[in-house]
Amino acid sequence: AVSQPIHSRPQSSRPVLLNKIEGHSDAVNAAVLIPKEDGVITVSEDRTIRVWLKRDSGQYWPSIYHTVSCKYHKRLEEFLLSEDFNKMNHVKTYPAHQNRVSDMVFSLESEWVVSTGHDKSVSWMCTQSGSMLGRHYFGSWASCLQYDNDTQHAFVGDYSGQITLLKLERQTYSTITTLKGHEGSIGALWWDPVQRLLFSGASDHSVIMWDIGGRKGRTLLLQGHHERVQAVRYLQLTRQLVSCSADGGVTVWNMDTPREEAPQWLDSDSCQKCEQPFFWNVKQMWDSKTIGLRQHHCRKCGKAVCGKCSSKSTTYPVMGFEFQVRVCDTCYDTVKDEDRTALATFHEGKHNIAFMDMDPSRGLMVTCGSDRVVKVRHTISLDQ
């Protein structure tokens, strides 16, 4: 099993495929670029952990691999790689969860391993002793995790669509807040400690930026995918957000531009434009001898409107709507042509993307998924 080098030169503003790594017999759960090395580490459902090194031929060849004993990991395994990446020694096992592990962070600064699992918990363990320090349980599967080394805050996304912010201590913890905004399970999180921004992607096809550092509850909704979002990465240097979805879509968002918050949807028993009753407003229907109408919401102003008063749709990228959305007729007339200018670019990964890693300094991106293929791309065009 080797990689296939792709002999092409970048010709457009899209991630350019350099290599395909094939050889796994089941879905690849994670693939990470080895810092300062032409190498990739993969973890697969075929129970293997593999190290792939790029040879002079341009192909990635398997250097070493380790087979774990249990397909559905309830434990965390720590290994030490030799400097030449030709040996992998087992260091210790962490008894992390009672069900499958969904995500983990290894913190050298805290000397902790923090992990989430399908036993609805987040746990943190000491990397020196391997012992459990603490655990917190949620109401649903914990799906993804980010960790701030300086403040020891953990962000945990779960299948209910919530994100919980915890302050972790040795032997104890405190719940800081719960972030609610998605209408589907959280698939990916990314924390930028410099600007103190949290990005989340979910099965509702959307990405949300949470301004944690601003302390004003500011959120930005970004809708530019047709399938569930499973990977996000913020590039601090270029102020770009990269998000990937299950259908292979790769969206690059320009975050270095003024954006507006999407409004909260308003509640009303009748259209807030023509005042005709909605179908559940029986009293007004009876009094006015009219048939109740279906309720819609204008994405630009948030008002509850009927279909007749919201017959048009438009893109509105400054509010995160890169695709056509319903707006009321009044708001439609206020949207100028320049307001429809896209603030994101869209690319096709051409395979299911369940995980993504990037090295902005080298302009590299690696993706993997259920098709058993790992793809290495050149992303220098993203910086242009």
Side-chain angles (χ1 to χ4, degrees), residues 4 60 70 79 134 136 173 186 212 220 268 291 329 345 360 383:
Q4 302 175 15
Y60 283 86
C70 178
F79 298 90
H136 171 74
Y173 68 93
I186 310 297
I212 304 297
L220 294 178
S268 179
I291 298 174
D329 294 351
T345 57
D383 297 331

Side-chain angles (χ1 to χ4, degrees), residues 26 44-49 66-73:
D26 209 334
S44 170
E45 290 287 328
D46 64 13
R47 298 188 299 153
T48 63
I49 304 169
H66 175 84
T67 302
V68 297
S69 57
C70 178
K71 181 175 182 179
Y72 298 109
H73 261 326

Side-chain angles (χ1 to χ4, degrees), residues 22 24 174 222 290 310 315 342 357 362 380:
E22 299 175 297
H24 289 286
S174 56
L222 305 172
T290 57
S310 58
T315 61
D357 186 34
R362 292 187 290 168
I380 191 169

Side-chain angles (χ1 to χ4, degrees), residues 324-341:
Q324 297 266 331
V325 291
R326 180 187 293 268
V327 294
C328 67
D329 294 351
T330 303
C331 284
Y332 183 86
D333 292 337
T334 67
V335 179
K336 302 180 179 64
D337 287 342
E338 55 265 31
D339 295 332
R340 297 183 175 92
T341 302

